[in-house]
Amino acid sequence: MKRLTIRRPLALLSAAAVIGASALVWSQAAASVAMSEGLLCDTDSNQTFSLTAEDGYVSTPDGNSIYMWSYGNSKRSFQLPGATLCVESGKPVTVVLHNKLPEATSIVFPGQKSVKANGNPAQPQFDSGGSLTSLVQPAAANDGSVTYTFTAGSPGTYLYETGTDVDKQLQMGLYGALVVRPAGHPNQVNDRADSAFTAGKEYVYLLSEIDPDVHLAVERNQPVNWAASTARYFMINGRSMPDTLAPNNAPWLPSQPYGALVHIKPYDAATNPLPATIRYLNAGSVNYPFHPHGSDERVVNRDGHSLQGPAGQDLSYQKYDLDVGPGQTVDVLMDWRDTEHWNATTNPIPTQIPAITDQLLVGSDTWFSESGYLGTKNSVPANLTQNNECGEYYHIAHSHALEQATNYGAAFGGMMTVFRIDPPAGCASQ
Ligand SMILES: [Cu+2]
């Protein structure tokens, strides 16, 4: 991507920019959920969760409203994706599925061993003619329920998703993330000490897509024309750019509670020695080549397993473009290093306000200061609006399959977000 092309989405940062490490509270009486950044976990002391398969609507940045099926829980009704469940490795997990949908549905837990459904081994179901009806025992249509139990497997990230009429129900939104933490080490990705990350700097990127024609057909109870199916929306955590930048629980996205803005400070051996972690999951049907600018990422886990040899050799690797395959999960560590130590006084680089103040937005306002110095803002003409708060950096991060970086074909949307790097001393407003 050329640098100028990141400008327009960043103009839309203002919502995210007012949300810092400390959560703000939405003060209207009707909704008292805290806005925040980073991973939002559902946890339970008994590791018991209740999910309700139900329908609802999500909004897209171009003003569309999409009929979806996904999971609600006791705290929130319908949400996309399903609640992120966080559990501890080696301990029992119970997931009770209630089904409000007009057809049977189920949950499979890929990567978990010895899953039981209502106390029996979870296994494929067949009709009287011998045709497969579900990958595991389902909850019957219209208020059926089923209880799945298993012992949480090796530390890492897993999908949970429908095992019934999978092409259709997965497209409709029946998926979520399961984070398995190492026992006693909640701030490590896996059992290895070198997978430690900064507490609170943990992010889930659940990648998926929507073909709105499929959803319209299901809503109208009409046949789906799969031969003509084409995804038009591409999402991180159920949101498309620029909604990805909004905080968790943004009240204007009531059914899409999870943001995707990474917000970190530069690596510093003394004050900020540990990386952040991002957990990528692909709940879609094609590869998503996800590609953060500005920094490689270190892949430490794939599909819930640490990358190490039989004798514990470190097999993690640096990667610029993560090709996350359908059904796959990839956990990475990432930090941002000021390797060139740019400084306006001691190590300057030539920068200047561009002759064309804004090449995408017509008018006299712009956001771009052209300052190359983290924590230092260039002065800009007095008539310009500048959304950069304290000389922080923003790096775009997006699917490099560029049709996936669109909202129904309109560029600079879709599967895209930004990483925000604050100055080492922080941002006064944060
Ligand atoms: Cu790019």
Side-chain angles (χ1 to χ4, degrees), residues 9 16 56 72 163 177 197-198 214 228 274 299 309 317 373 379 384 408 413 429:
F197 56 87
T198 304
V214 172
L274 293 175
V299 180
Y317 57 92
Y373 313 112
S379 57
L384 300 185
Y408 216 127
S429 63

Side-chain angles (χ1 to χ4, degrees), residues 42-51 73-75 85-88 91-98 147-150:
D42 274 30
T43 58
D44 179 77
S45 56
N46 295 316
Q47 304 205 145
T48 296
F49 304 94
S50 178
L51 300 177
N73 64 11
S74 53
K75 282 181 282 186
L85 309 180
C86 295
V87 300
E88 188 172 291
K91 288 189 173 175
V93 178
T94 300
V95 176
V96 182
L97 171 63
H98 304 279
T147 298
Y148 302 104
T149 50
F150 57 91

Side-chain angles (χ1 to χ4, degrees), residues 1 291 293 320 396 398 400 402:
M1 289 285 175
H291 147 83
H293 293 200
Y320 184 52
I396 207 89
H398 65 106
H400 213 279
L402 293 182

Side-chain angles (χ1 to χ4, degrees), residues 184-214:
H185 297 285
N187 296 323
Q188 290 177 197
V189 175
N190 54 45
D191 286 319
R192 297 173 59 92
D194 58 10
S195 70
F197 56 87
T198 304
K201 297 301 179 186
E202 184 176 20
Y203 304 89
V204 161
Y205 280 8
L206 201 171
L207 311 176
S208 65
E209 66 195 35
I210 287 175
D211 172 1
D213 289 346
V214 172

Side-chain angles (χ1 to χ4, degrees), residues 126-146:
F126 301 91
D127 65 17
S128 57
S131 295
L132 182 72
T133 57
S134 182
L135 294 175
V136 293
Q137 292 88 328
N142 303 315
D143 286 332
S145 67
V146 59

